[in-house]
Amino acid sequence: VRNNYEAFITKLDPTGSSLVWSTYLGGNAADHGEDLILAQDGGLVVVGYTYSDNFPVSPGAADISYNDNRDVFVAKLNATGDALDWASYLGGADNDNRYALALDASEQIYLTGTTDSDDFPTTSGAWDRSYGGGFYGDAFVAKLNATATHLDWATYLGGEDNDHGQDIAVDSSVYVYVPGSTKSEDFPAPSGAF
């Protein structure tokens, strides 16, 4: 039985007058598609969040286990929308949500959003591995390899109150840019910032 929403991906023709294809993406509970980007092969990389403990993650994915509550998912569909190339969960034990997605020239995957999880899978050497808190949690920024089989790095971003990562971009030198919103008076703004 479906619970609330199911993610969908739809392709329309250039005039918006014809549906080329459309598909569901999800599992046995609520699933929400939040952002997508076209891959070089015409496939679609999609990010969103899921409550489904049976979301169709791939064997060998960076995270094959549903982490409870609301998890990030990242998935790739082929160009015709009739096959799932790969998919992975990403998250901790609490809610992980509000996602955006970017790809670099090598199609490495960059994600941002907000997490309430104090066990979000930050990585050794990450800029901030400490959960700041707030009722709605910290922003997170993460990088996965091009097939989502490995979490290259992940960090929290925020202060002691609510912080939200709402979009993400990567430049040609692979610097990562994240805009968002914060209620944290101690948000990490270095000396000399604008």
Side-chain angles (χ1 to χ4, degrees):
V1 176
R2 300 284 178 200
N3 179 14
N4 297 319
Y5 294 96
E6 184 84 352
F8 71 86
I9 300 94
T10 295
K11 180 178 180 179
L12 297 168
D13 77 355
T15 66
S17 61
S18 178
L19 181 69
V20 179
W21 57 259
S22 194
T23 186
Y24 291 114
L25 178 61
N28 61 359
D31 311 285
H32 297 254
E34 295 289 306
D35 197 8
L36 66 78
I37 195 163
L38 290 172
Q40 293 170 12
D41 65 0
L44 296 145
V45 182
V46 182
V47 67
Y49 63 89
T50 181
Y51 291 91
S52 297
D53 60 8
N54 68 338
F55 193 88
V57 297
S58 309
D63 186 351
I64 61 171
S65 299
Y66 175 63
N67 300 292
D68 211 2
N69 289 310
R70 183 169 50 220
D71 267 4
V72 178
F73 74 78
V74 59
K76 184 181 178 191
L77 292 163
N78 69 356
T80 53
D82 59 5
L84 185 66
D85 290 348
W86 50 257
S88 180
Y89 289 116
L90 177 65
D94 215 325
N95 290 323
D96 310 291
N97 61 7
R98 296 182 183 165
Y99 314 109
L101 166 73
L103 301 179
D104 66 19
S106 300
E107 299 204 325
Q108 310 292 300
I109 304 158
Y110 299 80
L111 305 172
T112 191
T114 302
T115 180
D116 299 337
S117 300
D118 61 9
D119 62 344
F120 191 86
T122 59
T123 51
S124 177
W127 181 74
D128 184 358
R129 300 193 71 189
S130 300
Y131 178 69
F135 183 72
Y136 292 108
D138 269 359
F140 71 84
V141 187
K143 178 190 176 190
L144 293 96
N145 68 350
T147 54
T149 56
H150 185 263
L151 179 63
D152 291 350
W153 55 259
T155 184
Y156 290 112
L157 177 61
E160 293 182 354
D161 211 326
N162 301 330
D163 310 285
H164 305 292
Q166 294 175 305
D167 203 356
I168 192 165
V170 183
D171 68 18
S172 59
S173 299
V174 203
Y175 284 89
V176 181
Y177 302 83
V178 179
S181 57
T182 182
K183 289 183 70 178
S184 297
E185 294 182 2
D186 63 339
F187 189 86
S191 175
F194 174 75

